[in-house]
Amino acid sequence: MNLHLRLGARYAAVLFAALLVLAGIALAVMDRVLRTGLDARLQTEGYAAAALIDARAGNVVIDADDRPQFLSLTSGVDQSIVTDRSGRVVLSTVAIAPPAIAALALRPFGFHDVGSGEDVARACVVPIVRAGIRSGSIVVWRASDWIDETERGMALAFFGAAVVIAALAWGVGAILTRGALDDAFTRQRRFTADASHELRAPLAVIRAEADLALRKDRAPAEYRASLASIAAEADRLEALTASLLSAARAQESKPRLTEFDLVLLVRSAIERLQPLAQESGVAIVLEAAEASVCRADRDELERAAIALLHNAVKFSPRRGRVAVSVLRRQRWVEFTVSDEGPGFSQDALRHALEPFWSAKTDAAATGTGLGLTIVHGIVNRAGGTIALANTARGACVTVRLRAAR
């Protein structure tokens, strides 16, 4: 069975089990309500009948007016008998009282189940007490098999509904899971293919340079050139490996969320990149508001800020300017980096946040193609957003993070 079908089946099985548990709880509650309601009805009728019947000298007395009033107390589905203190039936709503019902007359007040199978009944015994003396009893009963029949019908209905819902959940879940899995596998295959491609190029250069150096004796200058080429490709491999590890860490590790002033973090990142900016002849200018406190993983966000600033410096022309701003906007803190470079192409605006994507036709596009992907993952894990845009001067990246207060 395909993976998406297995996942859909597991989801449907869990849902089916949960529905059965809920059905069991519902049936238990319904049984309690029905039986409690039946007992209350029988008890009310028994007390009413006991108040109606007279007793003298410890004996039940049935007057001419008592019979029709007694018969009117119970409906066609409820039956009752009046017994004296010896248990003899003196008044009844049925021609012959069932022996099991009559045998209850001498018992104290309470509820009893009599019969079995389809002939089960619920009975209530109410003593007739006058001046502290028990003169007789009222026994009121009603068939209770309808409760079991109702519960069986409801159980079948619940089971059928659970089967239908679970089947639908399996089908819909399999469809949705298949789409999600296909998308995840596609991204994984593309990531693996891109990573393999990026790793293959420097390895091929290293192998070619080594083969050429070993093929025949060369002058020291040629060996130094080969070793320099190998070292450069090794540096590229090291940078790519570090980027891959950072991307994996950004996706899998749990962020340590803390509250901090984003302005201070950005200033620290700018100070760390000042040597690179000075070497490139690029000025970094910061515009910042006061107390722009956000909640995120500080270490991760510092890596993201450095990555954005590094890209901006790299793509800016000599004597260019990188504008950085940190501003509070209602419930958000915005961190914006703008450069004076060539800006984003239309393809870059759509794909620059994807792993390994880079504008291959741009001579300035060098690197692993993971920088913006890592920044994107860090910002998403902090509950923020990242947006790419072009301005009149060049590229602009805006990161929005939720303000802490």
Side-chain angles (χ1 to χ4, degrees):
M1 186 183 294
N2 293 334
L3 178 59
H4 69 277
L5 293 178
R6 292 201 300 271
L7 291 176
R10 291 180 182 179
Y11 173 75
V14 172
L15 180 61
F16 182 71
L19 290 174
L20 290 184
V21 171
L22 290 176
I25 295 174
L27 288 174
V29 172
M30 184 176 68
D31 178 80
R32 180 64 177 172
V33 170
L34 292 177
R35 295 188 184 279
T36 301
L38 177 59
D39 288 350
R41 178 189 178 99
L42 296 177
Q43 180 178 338
T44 300
E45 293 179 354
Y47 278 129
L52 176 67
I53 303 300
D54 295 328
R56 301 189 186 96
N59 296 313
V60 172
V61 178
I62 304 298
D63 298 331
D65 295 334
D66 291 342
R67 185 178 297 274
Q69 293 180 7
F70 175 77
L71 296 176
S72 68
L73 288 176
T74 55
S75 62
V77 295
D78 296 332
Q79 305 297 334
S80 57
I81 59 174
V82 180
T83 65
D84 59 17
R85 59 185 177 183
S86 65
R88 183 176 61 88
V89 176
V90 296
L91 185 59
S92 175
T93 59
V94 294
I96 300 177
I101 295 294
L104 298 175
L106 297 179
R107 295 191 179 185
F109 171 83
F111 299 94
H112 306 276
D113 291 312
V114 295
S116 61
E118 297 181 356
D119 295 327
V120 67
R122 184 70 166 173
C124 177
V125 178
V126 179
I128 302 174
V129 179
R130 299 291 184 272
I133 300 175
R134 180 170 180 171
S135 303
S137 298
I138 305 290
V139 182
V140 184
W141 76 93
R142 182 180 183 179
S144 60
D145 58 318
W146 61 275
I147 296 179
D148 294 331
E149 293 176 1
T150 301
E151 291 175 353
R152 282 194 293 269
M154 292 299 296
L156 291 175
F158 280 135
F159 182 81
V163 170
V164 172
I165 293 174
L168 291 175
W170 186 11
V172 174
I175 294 174
L176 296 178
T177 303
R178 179 175 184 176
L181 287 175
D182 289 345
D183 184 57
F185 287 147
T186 299
R187 291 198 304 270
Q188 183 183 37
R189 285 193 295 268
R190 184 172 60 189
F191 184 90
T192 303
D194 290 341
S196 299
H197 174 76
E198 295 289 336
L199 291 169
R200 189 184 301 118
L203 287 173
V205 173
I206 290 174
R207 181 59 184 266
E209 290 287 352
D211 288 344
L212 287 174
L214 295 172
R215 188 170 300 170
K216 62 179 182 178
D217 292 337
R218 297 180 180 276
E222 293 178 338
Y223 281 124
R224 284 196 296 270
S226 295
L227 290 174
S229 177
I230 291 173
E233 294 303 323
D235 289 340
R236 177 175 171 79
L237 282 174
E238 183 180 4
L240 177 58
T241 303
S243 296
L244 286 171
L245 291 175
S246 296
R249 189 181 301 114
Q251 292 178 358
E252 296 179 1
S253 62
K254 294 183 179 180
R256 294 173 296 179
L257 301 180
T258 58
E259 295 183 4
F260 56 89
D261 190 345
L262 186 58
V263 176
L264 298 179
L265 182 144
V266 172
R267 283 177 179 164
S268 174
I270 292 174
E271 290 177 0
R272 292 177 60 182
L273 285 175
Q274 278 296 349
L276 175 64
Q278 291 173 0
E279 181 181 354
S280 303
V282 176
I284 303 177
V285 181
L286 173 62
E287 176 190 356
E290 296 297 329
S292 295
V293 179
C294 65
R295 181 175 176 81
D297 188 312
R298 183 184 176 89
D299 293 338
E300 286 190 350
L301 199 60
E302 186 172 12
R303 291 205 307 272
I306 290 174
L308 292 179
L309 292 169
H310 182 271
N311 277 349
V313 171
K314 181 174 67 174
F315 287 104
S316 291
R318 194 162 190 85
R319 291 187 297 277
R321 180 175 178 270
V322 173
V324 183
S325 66
V326 180
L327 302 174
R328 173 71 178 265
R329 299 188 185 279
Q330 296 181 351
R331 298 181 180 178
W332 297 90
V333 175
E334 285 189 357
F335 168 41
T336 303
V337 179
S338 303
D339 61 47
E340 296 179 350
F344 293 110
S345 66
Q346 292 302 313
D347 285 342
L349 291 174
R350 289 191 296 268
H351 304 294
L353 298 178
E354 298 176 4
F356 294 105
W357 189 94
S358 61
K360 300 301 182 183
T361 59
D362 190 343
T366 59
T368 64
L370 285 168
L372 285 177
T373 303
I374 295 172
V375 174
H376 186 208
I378 290 173
V379 172
N380 277 346
R381 282 152 48 82
T385 61
I386 180 172
L388 310 182
N390 288 322
T391 65
R393 292 178 175 271
C396 177
V397 180
T398 301
V399 172
R400 300 183 75 204
L401 301 167
R402 290 193 178 275
R405 53 180 180 270

